[in-house]
Amino acid sequence: MQKKPVKRIGILTAGGDSPGLNAAIRAVGKAAIGEYGWEMIGFRDGFLGLALNRWVRFDKTRLAGILTVGGTVLGTSRDKPHRMEINGRVRDMTGAIATNYRRLGLDALVCIGGGGTQKNALRLVEKGLHIITLPKTIDNDVALTDATIGFDTALGIATEAIDRLHSTAHSHHRIVIAEIMGHRAGWLTLGAGIAGGADVILIPEIPYDVEKVAAAVRRRSRNGTNFSIVAIAEGAMSKQDAVAFAAVEARRKLAKTELEREHVKAELAALEARHDGNTLRLAKQLEQLTHLEARVTILGYVQRGGTPSVADRLLATRLGTACAGFIQEGVFGVMVAARGDGVKAVPIEEVAGKLKTVPADHQWIEAARRVGTCLGD
Ligand code: F6P
């Protein structure tokens, strides 16, 4: 059967921004417009723009000069197609999105995003739309791809921060704790911690014992080094907190009635609220246990800002141009994953809802331990 030639594609960026999004938009656009002669329109602020029909047309001029620019020229949001707040009311906009897609005469829609975006994209695949996704997030936690757009840049920023924290920690004989992004996966903290030579690295995958962390700091003091750098992921937690979270999670799975579900939700919210001050609490605990001063630096959004690294520009350009190629071949319902030096089209349904965490036997973990880093366990 003859394939219908693609004429018009849409593109959007969703979820938290990350460096390299514009490089990806540019790559898809240059191949789509320049190589294949298609039209490309970009939706404003993620799925929200698609639901509200807010878009701009890309041409060569609009694509020029954006390769090195951080953030996303399209804007982004965490809005979900099936639960979107419109004029103060939460509504399911999947139907409206499908209607807009068809009215605009789109032949394909490229969604650039992290784990949440993959789930949202799957909802649109199930509505019969021709969706193709690209993986981006500084957390590097999207399943079935070697890398995500933005991770390398954030890794560089977090590593440089740890480098700089060394001199002030050393001068004041302090413990300096750097809190690094990553609620559920520790790639960024582990990578930057190793590259920056942190003495302690705490990640969500390995619940920590504060006594062990303090013992590592005291050992350094005994050996004549009166300062320590602790790299902690925002989602890292103590062994006790991990047990409490696991118990609530188990109750959540067993909850049958609406009342039980509401109760578990409230318990979880209370635990999460308590966890919010975790890094500051750790600093106080370490001061008490080591008699050294401790200071906290929360790296925050600095990690997501600014110009993308060389590796992210390359990754975004590889994935973006390959994405246009897949559309040309009529391959839809897939995420364009990075695999070694190549790319692979992975069904979105195999990616959605999965999280790529750091495996216990990962070589980074082994390497960290072998250079004497305390991982808190
Ligand atoms: O998705 C990446 C991420 O940077 C996480 O590491 C972080 O917890 C989260 O986004 C915070 O983003 P926002 O405050 O924009 O929702």
Side-chain angles (χ1 to χ4, degrees), residues 15-17 78 136-139 181-183 188 234 301 304:
D17 71 325
R78 292 197 185 273
K136 72 85 206 152
T137 162
I138 64 160
D139 296 343
M181 276 188 171
H183 272 300
L188 199 51
E234 56 190 345
Y301 296 93
R304 285 197 338 213

Side-chain angles (χ1 to χ4, degrees), residues 170-338:
H170 169 260
S171 305
H172 284 268
H173 321 296
R174 283 172 174 158
I175 301 168
V176 173
I177 308 179
E179 187 189 282
I180 295 172
M181 276 188 171
H183 272 300
R184 294 185 296 162
W187 295 106
L188 199 51
T189 307
L190 182 60
I194 295 171
D199 308 294
V200 178
I201 300 177
L202 306 174
I203 59 174
E205 293 86 343
I206 307 178
Y208 62 84
D209 178 343
V210 70
E211 296 286 348
K212 297 241 169 92
V213 177
V217 172
R218 284 196 300 259
R219 212 161 33 244
R220 281 172 58 79
S221 299
R222 271 201 310 278
N223 293 337
T225 313
N226 262 325
F227 77 94
S228 286
I229 301 286
V230 179
I232 181 170
E234 56 190 345
M237 58 178 81
S238 67
K239 291 193 171 171
Q240 294 93 311
D241 285 353
V243 168
F245 268 100
V248 177
E249 190 51 33
R251 282 203 288 285
R252 190 184 67 80
K253 284 195 183 128
L254 291 175
K256 287 198 176 62
T257 65
E258 195 50 40
L259 194 68
E260 282 172 337
R261 275 194 286 273
E262 284 302 315
H263 190 72
V264 172
K265 217 167 135 190
E267 274 187 290
L268 205 57
L271 276 183
E272 273 161 5
R274 199 186 102 84
H275 188 264
D276 274 350
N278 189 55
T279 306
L280 291 172
R281 215 164 24 249
L282 176 67
K284 288 273 163 288
Q285 290 170 319
L286 289 180
E287 283 192 337
Q288 279 160 11
L289 292 168
T290 64
H291 306 294
L292 286 176
E293 265 189 327
R295 292 287 190 273
V296 170
T297 296
I298 298 177
L299 300 188
Y301 296 93
V302 162
Q303 296 162 98
R304 285 197 338 213
T307 190
S309 66
V310 172
D312 274 330
R313 294 179 204 181
L314 274 168
L315 179 66
T317 306
R318 279 172 53 208
L319 298 186
T321 48
C323 172
F326 284 124
I327 297 172
Q328 168 69 358
E329 287 166 25
V331 179
F332 301 116
V334 297
M335 177 183 84
V336 185

Side-chain angles (χ1 to χ4, degrees), residues 11-14 41-56 74-81 84-86 93 96-97 100-101 104 106 109:
I11 190 164
L12 60 82
T13 50
I41 63 172
F43 292 96
R44 299 274 189 208
D45 305 324
F47 294 100
L48 185 69
L50 185 54
L52 301 183
N53 216 9
R54 290 192 193 139
W55 51 272
V56 288
L74 284 174
T76 186
S77 76
R78 292 197 185 273
D79 287 285
K80 304 175 178 66
M84 215 173 255
E85 199 181 310
I86 310 277
M93 297 298 282
I97 283 175
N100 285 342
Y101 173 99
L104 286 165
L106 294 183
L109 174 71

